[in-house]
Each structure stands twice: as structure tokens, then as C-alpha cells.
Amino acid sequence: MRHPYTIKEIARQAGLSEATVDRVLNHRGGVRESTVMEVHQAVKDLDRQRTQVRIGGRTFMIDIVMQAPDRFSTAVRDALEAELPSLHPAVVRSRFHFRETGPASELIAAMDKIAKRGSQGVILKAPDVPEVGAAVGRLVEAGIPVVTLVTDLPSSARMGYVGIDNRAAGATAAYLVGQWLGGRPGHVLVTISRGSFRGEEEREMGFRGAMRNAHPGRSLVEVTDSDGLDATQRDLVLAALERNHDIVGVYSIGGGNAATLDAFDTLGRECAVFIAHDLDHDNTRLLRERRLSAVLHHDLRQDMRRACQTIMRAHKALPDDGPALPSAIQVVTPYNMP
């Protein structure tokens, strides 16, 4: 496995001992396959972050811990790595701990492992459950600042939140749905990946409140607990459409939009308006194809830069600039795609 990095660099990136990395690189055996994969992934991460590795300045090793579909995790990784050069003269290196679904205990185990081995900071997207909040507390007690991304844990010891005002985003979606549907009768499908994510819950509350005030006669049909995964999402939406023959629009809070549209297509049903979140690869394609009406977007690169800067402020590497404002909500159509 050819690479220009020292064993010490790879070990730090992987969060493993130098002896373990040496055994993997020199094929000495006695190492679990999962650990071998961690070493190979560390080298790949270093390759992507190579522009930062040799630059002088203070180094910050940051861990990104997320539960989200691969399409969103990939967008976060790309956004962060695109922003690394803008953080000069500091050197920011990143380790990624991504999972699509599973019990909170798996996320907590990853967080506790980080607390034990050390880190300059954690960027976290996780369900708002007491056990996760307690794990955040343990990270902070270990001197590791935590910044929540996209969905907040306000009752935890986290340092700050980076993302949009989710209630305002839900109300914006309700306004757009109301404008597009006009006087056309029918229900609106609201899809949520997992109810324990506070950000999704706040979007849903904002949407319901605005719809109730402006369109009290229009019913909402909820689909939840798909984790935003396509196969699960398609089955849940199919079942909802078969039960409710008057669904004419969708507000997608949790993703899986290609699968949602496939369910409409399978039953030969029309979706008159479809509002989604985030310009990931799927949503960009669907918007270009006019399958989505609009996407509520925020600049993920800017969010990742702000999250890193928040961690740097915790270490007194940047001056405090006061309370952070929510990220701007952009209404993106096929005609103003960034």
C-alpha cells in the first residue's frame, strides 16, 4: 500500500496505535479485518486532505460523528474537505464516523471511544435522546468541545449549534405548498426519517403550524422511521398512498425522495408539489428533471467552516465573535441552482 505518510500520521488519523498500523502496513497478521479497513480508510482520508497535511500552523484533529443516509454523509464529507484550505493558517484534519441507522448505543460507543483517545473537537449529528446527551457530557468533561450540525441537542453540554432555523424552514415549506396547490383539494404527505431527530421534529412542527393557520382544511399524512433509506421509504410511502387516495403533495423532511417518487410512479399517481431539503446528488438530479418543485437548501460548506471555527474558538485560536445566527434558508428551483 504505497503512500507518503508516516506511521505516526496514519495512526493519528485512524485513532489506532502505531504498532497496530505498522502490523497492517507490513502484513504481519493478527489484526482484525475491520481494523485493516480503518487503516486503509485513514490513508484515503489523508490523500483527500493532502493539501492540509504539510502546511505549517496549529493542527486541529476533528471527529465528525453522524447518523444519516450515505448521500448526506457524503455531502458533509465533501463540504468539509472543500473548506479545509480556507482555514489557513490552521491545519484541520478530520476523522469520520458515519452510520446510516442502528441503535443509539453504536453512536455512543463511537463518542466514548473519542473521549478516551482524545480529539480537538466533535461535530455531531445524532438523535436527541438522553443517552446521547450524556455521551456529549462525557466528551466535554474530557476537554473535547462538541458542535451539533443540522439537528440540535439543546439540553446537552454542546458548545453550539450550526444549521438552519428548522421551524422557519418548515413554515417556509408550508407557504410554498400552499401557493403551489392553491385551491386544489387533497392531502399532503409529510415524510420524516426518524422522530428522535430534533431538527426534523422542529421542521414538522413549523410545517404543521403554518398549514393549520393558512390552510386549516387540508389534512397531513405522516410517514416516519424510514431513516431516509430508499427501500424502507418506498415501502412506507406505497402503503400511505394505498391508504390515502387523495394525497397530492409531499413535504420531505427526512430524504429518500427518489424512492418516494418511485412509489407515486408505481401507482400511477400524480405529485403536484414536492418540497425537499438539501442539494445532495439525488435532489440535484431530481430538481433538474423537474421532479421536485423546490429544495430548501443551506450552504453546507459554510456550515462546516463555521463548525470548525467554533471548535477553534473553544481552544482560543480565534476570537469570540458573539452568538451565531442560523444559516440562511435558500429556496432553490431548477432556475437558480447554485
Side-chain angles (χ1 to χ4, degrees), residues 74-292:
T74 299
V76 167
R77 184 197 293 267
D78 291 346
L80 175 60
E81 292 179 344
E83 283 302 305
L84 292 182
S86 74
L87 297 169
H88 296 174
V91 179
V92 175
R93 301 261 296 279
S94 50
R95 296 183 291 227
F96 301 96
H97 314 269
F98 293 159
R99 60 198 283 277
E100 286 197 295
T101 186
S105 59
E106 293 179 7
L107 272 179
I108 292 165
M111 295 164 69
D112 285 342
K113 184 177 179 181
I114 293 166
K116 183 177 180 180
R117 76 171 179 224
S119 176
Q120 272 70 56
V122 169
I123 299 173
L124 177 65
K125 179 183 181 295
D128 185 12
V129 296
E131 298 84 357
V132 171
V136 170
R138 291 192 290 274
L139 284 166
V140 174
E141 287 174 3
I144 301 171
V146 177
V147 178
T148 52
L149 177 72
V150 179
T151 184
D152 198 10
L153 303 170
S155 61
S156 73
R158 59 95 171 115
M159 182 180 182
Y161 163 70
V162 173
I164 60 175
D165 180 331
N166 284 298
R167 282 183 184 256
T172 301
Y175 173 79
L176 295 173
V177 167
Q179 292 296 304
W180 253 296
L181 289 180
R184 176 173 177 166
H187 307 324
V188 177
L189 184 69
V190 181
T191 67
I192 302 171
S193 73
R194 183 68 54 178
S196 55
F197 284 102
R198 177 174 286 267
E200 294 192 17
E201 180 184 50
E202 290 178 342
R203 291 176 188 178
E204 191 263 349
M205 292 170 65
F207 185 77
R208 281 188 180 276
M211 289 294 290
R212 183 169 56 248
N213 290 335
H215 310 283
R218 198 177 294 282
S219 297
L220 306 182
V221 178
E222 184 176 300
V223 163
T224 189
D225 293 345
S226 70
D227 290 312
L229 303 180
D230 285 343
T232 309
Q233 180 77 6
R234 183 181 184 277
D235 290 343
L236 290 172
V237 173
L238 270 174
L241 292 175
E242 288 170 344
R243 289 193 305 267
N244 300 272
H245 297 281
D246 296 326
I247 292 174
V248 294
V250 175
Y251 174 38
S252 170
I253 295 174
N257 301 322
T260 296
L261 287 166
D262 184 61
F264 273 87
D265 293 343
T266 297
L267 298 178
R269 300 270 288 277
E270 178 192 6
C271 182
V273 57
F274 196 132
I275 308 299
H277 277 272
D278 302 317
L279 276 180
D280 56 29
H281 292 301
D282 281 0
N283 286 348
T284 298
R285 173 180 59 83
L286 294 171
L287 193 60
R288 286 198 177 111
E289 295 172 356
R290 309 297 198 269
R291 302 299 310 276
L292 301 180

Side-chain angles (χ1 to χ4, degrees), residues 16 20 24 29-41:
L16 300 169
T20 298
V24 172
V31 182
R32 289 180 298 180
E33 182 61 28
S34 61
T35 303
V36 173
M37 292 173 64
E38 288 179 21
V39 172
H40 291 176
Q41 184 61 52

Side-chain angles (χ1 to χ4, degrees), residues 301-322:
R301 285 182 55 170
Q302 183 183 65
D303 285 354
M304 298 309 296
R305 181 168 66 250
R306 286 177 54 205
C308 291
Q309 289 171 340
T310 300
I311 290 170
M312 292 162 70
R313 288 189 184 94
H315 293 281
K316 309 301 182 185
L318 288 175
D320 189 0
D321 63 351

